[in-house]
Structure formats: structure tokens, C-alpha cells
């Protein structure tokens, strides 16, 4: 289908699987043009475009956003979803384990937000949604690096929300709880079941349930929401 003048251009990082792929599908179903950015195409949904991008490489991020702008001329929504874990108890966690997670989850998200904002500020419109985690607020053992990176996103989003609010750009955060993806598969069934007992809704979440929150935060109905954190965690963090 040819792109119409009114179609939004939505960039989703980490759309090659899991929550990012679900976000890409949800925005496609909404009638948007979706461009997935990740190191591999993986299972980026059919119908979404793909641009290779490694968030840990500043030039790769700049090139990817240039490519999106060359193709479409504008960027309306950024879902900064890509992220990694490298869990380890703190006494055994190497500097490399710590800095790799920060470089991907926090600095990588900053690189994408900066690139997107350069375009959005000129347009005087846009929405950025950053994918944090309930782990940012609750802190889970073995995740000093991950929790720091995900908590950092909240402060970063709020600083950016203040910087660009006058340009009608919103910057919000979603904080998923335990969601069924490859990231949680590595935890093993026993640990997932134990964690699920702490969830008031009594079940693991689905990637689509995070995607629908991202679609809402980028919608016309959410234009007065910025600097917010929306928990999608079955009540695990009780809104924190
Ligand atoms: P997955 O591991 O299933 O997917 C991660 C995605 O990030 C992949 O598409 C991967 O693509 C991409 N990615 C990783 N590193 C890079 C990089 N250096 N450059 C570009 N892309 C990269 O994770 P989930 O879908 O489970 O998680 C998505 C987000 O949600 C993450 O930020 C995660 O922290 C967060 N989250 C997840 C929860 C869960 O329970 N699953 C709970 C709370 C938060 P590729 O490898 O092809 O580059």
C-alpha cells in the first residue's frame, strides 16, 4: 500500500522480537508506517520496514535515523524499546557487565531520542515512549546494572519532556512487569512461576499488553500526557 500524507512514521527499536515486535504489529494495525531498528531483522513483523542499527554504536544510530528520514521525510513516534539484561550478583558483576547494559539500555536510548528529537523539534510534534521496567522501582537481585539503566530512563524522559514540551512533543515511559518473551524465557519456568505468585493479577503479561499502552501514549487522546510512567505489570509494582 502506498504511504498516505496522513500516515505517521513510527520507529520501534528492538522490533525483531518480543515486546518490540508486538509494538510494531500494533502500530501497523493502527494504520501507521513502522520502521524497526535492530541488529538483525529477526521476526520483525511483515509489513514493517527494517533498518539495521546497533544502539551501542553512535554512527549506526545516526545512520539509521538518517535512513528513516531519507525514506519518509519525518519521524512522528519513537518507541525506544531495545534492551538487554546481563544479570549477576553485584559482587560478581564485572565493569563490562555493568557498562554494556548501560550502553545499550540507557545511552543507546538517549542516542535514539536525540536523533528523533532533532527531527521532531523541526516538525513541532512527536511522541517518544521509552520502555523501562518494574525492576527500576522494585530492584531485583542480580540486576544492579539493569535496574540502574531502567531507572535512568525515567529521569532522562522527564528531563527531555521539559526540554521539548513547548514544541508539543511528549516523552513518556512504560514500565512492564513480567512479560512472556525470550528475555523472560532465560529465567526458567520455576523462577517465572515464583515471580508470578507476587503479581496481583496472578499471571505473566503478554507483549501485546505493553504494545497497546505504547499505542495509547502515542495517540491523539494522550497529547496532554508527558513525563509520565505507565506501569503494565499486573499490579506487581502497584503503580511505582
Ligand atoms: P527481547 O530480548 O525479546 O528483545 C530485545 C530486542 O532488543 C531485540 O529486538 C534485539 O534485537 C534488540 N536489541 C538488543 N540489543 C540491541 C542493540 N545493541 N542494538 C539494537 N537493538 C538491540 O526483549 P523483550 O522484548 O523482552 O524486551 C524489550 C524491552 O522491554 C527491553 O528494553 C526490556 O528491558 C524491557 N522489559 C522486558 C520485560 C520482560 O519481562 N520481557 C519486563 C520489563 C521490561 P537484535 O538482537 O536483533 O539487535
Amino acid at each position: 500500500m502506498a504511504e498516505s500524507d496522513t500516515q505517521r512514521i513510527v520507529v520501534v527499536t528492538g522490533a525483531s522480537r518480543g515486546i518490540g515486535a508486538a509494538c510494531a504489529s500494533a502500530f501497523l494495525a493502527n494504520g501507521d508506517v513502522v520502521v524497526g531498528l535492530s541488529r538483525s531483522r529477526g521476526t520483525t513483523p511483515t509489513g514493517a520496514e527494517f533498518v539495521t542499527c546497533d544502539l551501542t554504536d553512535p554512527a549506526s544510530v545516526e545512520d539509521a535515523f538518517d535512513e528513516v528520514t531519507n525514506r519518509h521525510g519525518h519521524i512522528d513516534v519513537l518507541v525506544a524499546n531495545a534492551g538487554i539484561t546481563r544479570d549477576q550478583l553485584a559482587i560478581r558483576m564485572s565493569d563490562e557487565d555493568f557498562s554494556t547494559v548501560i550502553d545499550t539500555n540507557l545511552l543507546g536510548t538517549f542516542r535514539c531520542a536525540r536523533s528523533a528529537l532533532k527531527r521532531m523539534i523541526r516538525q513541532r510534534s512527536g511522541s517518544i515512549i521509552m520502555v523501562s521496567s518494574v525492576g527500576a522501582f522494585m530492584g531485583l537481585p542480580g540486576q544492579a546494572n539493569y535496574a540502574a539503566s531502567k531507572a535512568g530512563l525515567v529521569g532522562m524522559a522527564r528531563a527531555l519532556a521539559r526540554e521539548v514540551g513547548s514544541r508539543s512533543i511528549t516523552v513518556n515511559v512504560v514500565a512492564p512487569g513480567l512479560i512472556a518473551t525470550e528475555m523472560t524465557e532465560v529465567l526458567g519456568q520455576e523462577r517465572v512461576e515464583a515471580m508470578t505468585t507476587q503479581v496481583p493479577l496472578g499471571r505473566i503479561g503478554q507483549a501485546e499488553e505493553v504494545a497497546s499502552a505504547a499505542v495509547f501514549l502515542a495517540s491523539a487522546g494522550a497529547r496532554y500526557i508527558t513525563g509520565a510512567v505507565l506501569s503494565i505489570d499486573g499490579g506487581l509494582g502497584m503503580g511505582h
Side-chain angles (χ1 to χ4, degrees), residues 13-21 37-42 44 50 52-57 60-61 80-85 103-105 109 131-135 146 149-150 153 174-185 187 204-205 207 210 232:
T13 69
S16 64
R17 58 180 185 267
I19 292 170
L37 267 46
S38 47
R39 292 166 300 180
S40 61
R41 183 168 184 122
T44 301
F50 170 70
T52 308
C53 177
D54 183 347
L55 296 194
T56 63
D57 175 354
S60 170
V61 174
N81 157 80
I84 58 166
T85 50
D103 195 22
T104 306
N105 298 4
T109 297
V131 180
S132 176
S133 167
V134 69
Y146 183 78
S149 72
K150 294 298 187 179
L153 290 180
V174 292
L178 199 57
I179 307 294
T181 69
E182 282 181 31
M183 190 178 269
T184 39
E185 254 170 47
L187 296 173
I204 193 166
V210 181
I232 306 126

Side-chain angles (χ1 to χ4, degrees), residues 168-202:
S168 303
I169 300 166
T170 62
V171 187
N172 290 295
V173 173
V174 292
L178 199 57
I179 307 294
T181 69
E182 282 181 31
M183 190 178 269
T184 39
E185 254 170 47
V186 299
L187 296 173
Q189 202 180 338
E190 211 172 298
R191 198 160 163 217
V192 169
E193 277 169 15
M195 289 167 80
T196 307
T197 62
Q198 306 301 311
V199 178
L201 287 180

